[in-house]
Amino acid sequence: SLFDPVIEERTRTIIEAVRTRGDAALVEFTQRFDGATLRPEQIPVTQAERMQASLMAGPDLRAAVAESTKNIASFSKRSRRRDWSAKNSHGAQVGEVFQPFQRVGVYIPGGTAPLVSTALMTITLAKVAGCPEIVVCTPCGKDGTLNPALLFAANFAGATEIYRISGSQAIAAMVHGTETIRPVHKVFGPGNAYVVAAKRLLFGHVSVDLLPGPSETLVLADDSADPRFVAADLLAQAEHGSGHERVWMVTTSAAQLKAVEKEISRQLPTLNRREFIQKVLDTNTWLIQVRDLDAAVVLINRLAPEHCEIMTRNPKALVPRIHAAGAIFLGQGSPTVL
């Protein structure tokens, strides 16, 4: 779906409408795609709504958001680029200086599961980088309201502006600007096929973070892995909701493959998003037996999974050989969701 010509054509039309008609186009698309009737002045989330979301947040949510933000900020600080200077072979002083973007746009998907984690991962990163203006766009419900947990998290993490706009029209608004939304310098955040198409079509007008396809998880397991954990992690990935997610289990053990298959059948009926999961299990799930770990490593590097879990006796030993994974999770206690 990353290069679907139909989606690209529709997205192009939406972008052009936002570029030429601004807020009026945003109002029209919000009605059409989200079922919410807004006036242009209702596009921004108000300070009062932010306060309300903060008051509604229960102690569990507060604690989880505070703890996550602390961990994300500390990780982000360590990965910040550092200024440097040196003398080259001619004795000239050379170096690099890293400045934060002054105004960034963050898209946070709504859809079937409001992604509080995405709000924290993106906004916190912008805050740590020192971006003074952090603009958030996220879909609203039919009644025009935002998910209160998502709103609380975005507020807590440091969003300076929040707009209730979804899809490719949100990306277009952040890039071209409208009467209500001033343009940003770089756009971040995941989204559906329309959001990704918009980022691809608008790259060059602004900078974009990346063009992610549907989410993926690959679990590499030998006979020492707990099949309950393997199955749970595959199912957790499959429940994202687009139906295009990809899930692989690669194992050196025939018994492990059978056990995981059995566990998937046992756990699936107990899950409340099983119809989303079933769609992925039917179309984009593979349980693969390989000859040995060498063959597994070749396959992983060929597939280049977004998330790669290694549940083997000595998971650390395989890390230097995996060159094409987005993130690597070592051992049975490191599920992708965490």
Side-chain angles (χ1 to χ4, degrees):
S1 62
L2 195 51
F3 300 102
D4 184 316
V6 177
I7 288 176
E8 186 170 316
E9 208 36 60
R10 286 181 189 156
T11 304
R12 214 184 280 279
T13 308
I14 290 168
I15 290 169
E16 192 48 31
V18 174
R19 191 183 69 78
T20 52
R21 292 173 38 235
D23 285 350
L26 293 183
V27 165
E28 185 187 305
F29 293 133
T30 302
Q31 173 73 70
R32 192 194 307 175
F33 300 127
D34 303 314
T37 309
L38 300 180
R39 298 187 304 281
E41 62 271 22
Q42 293 172 309
I43 292 171
V45 173
T46 64
Q47 207 49 49
E49 286 174 281
R50 288 181 174 225
M51 291 289 292
Q52 179 66 16
S54 291
L55 293 171
M56 281 170 69
D60 286 357
L61 178 66
R62 283 178 188 282
V65 165
E67 186 71 15
S68 303
T69 304
K70 193 172 84 182
N71 281 325
I72 295 162
S74 115
F75 187 98
S76 302
K77 279 183 185 123
R78 285 171 186 273
S79 63
R80 254 180 85 160
R81 306 288 290 270
R82 305 269 181 263
D83 297 354
W84 65 269
S85 71
K87 276 203 166 90
N88 72 7
S89 63
H90 299 275
Q93 197 77 25
V94 295
E96 290 182 298
V97 177
F98 297 97
Q99 306 283 17
F101 283 100
Q102 295 300 288
R103 184 171 170 81
V104 294
V106 173
Y107 186 74
I108 301 167
T112 58
L115 293 170
V116 173
S117 55
T118 300
L120 300 179
M121 296 292 281
T122 47
I123 299 165
T124 308
L125 182 61
K127 189 92 173 147
V128 168
C131 303
E133 296 181 19
I134 305 167
V135 179
V136 169
C137 284
T138 192
C140 61
K142 284 185 169 54
D143 59 357
T145 63
L146 295 189
N147 177 278
L150 185 64
L151 188 48
F152 169 72
N155 205 27
F156 186 93
T160 56
E161 300 162 41
I162 304 174
Y163 300 98
R164 59 191 106 232
I165 299 295
S166 69
S168 48
Q169 59 272 26
I171 306 298
M174 290 192 281
V175 172
H176 287 308
T178 71
E179 300 89 331
T180 300
I181 304 171
R182 287 186 295 112
V184 302
H185 303 140
K186 184 167 180 174
V187 173
F188 296 83
N192 62 17
Y194 288 91
V195 168
V196 177
K199 286 165 85 172
R200 199 156 57 85
L201 291 168
L202 289 163
F203 175 69
H205 290 281
V206 294
S207 185
V208 303
D209 57 346
L210 73 165
L211 300 172
S215 197
E216 307 164 333
T217 288
L218 182 149
V219 179
L220 169 59
D222 62 14
D223 58 358
S224 71
D226 187 329
R228 292 171 308 169
F229 291 1
V230 176
D233 290 359
L234 298 174
L235 292 166
Q237 181 60 33
E239 77 169 9
H240 266 53
S242 81
H244 298 292
E245 290 73 24
R246 287 178 173 76
V247 182
W248 298 272
M249 189 267 253
V250 178
T251 183
T252 49
S253 155
Q256 179 68 267
L257 193 141
K258 282 274 172 288
V260 169
E261 207 166 9
K262 206 158 148 189
E263 269 303 316
I264 288 174
S265 307
R266 195 183 65 76
Q267 292 180 30
L268 183 61
T270 67
L271 302 174
N272 61 3
R273 290 169 65 81
R274 52 190 170 272
E275 65 284 358
F276 292 108
I277 297 169
Q278 192 61 59
K279 199 172 162 190
V280 174
L281 293 179
D282 292 343
T283 53
N284 286 328
T285 299
W286 297 272
L287 305 184
I288 303 165
Q289 187 186 347
V290 289
R291 192 176 53 249
D292 51 28
L293 288 177
D294 291 342
V297 166
V298 169
L299 184 58
I300 289 169
N301 286 328
R302 183 72 191 273
L303 290 170
E306 178 189 13
H307 306 103
C308 179
E309 297 186 14
I310 305 178
M311 296 191 195
T312 57
R313 280 185 179 76
N314 184 5
K316 225 173 187 169
L318 293 173
V319 174
R321 299 171 58 196
I322 294 173
H323 308 138
I328 299 175
F329 303 82
L330 297 182
Q332 311 227 34
S334 303
T336 297
V337 288
L338 289 186

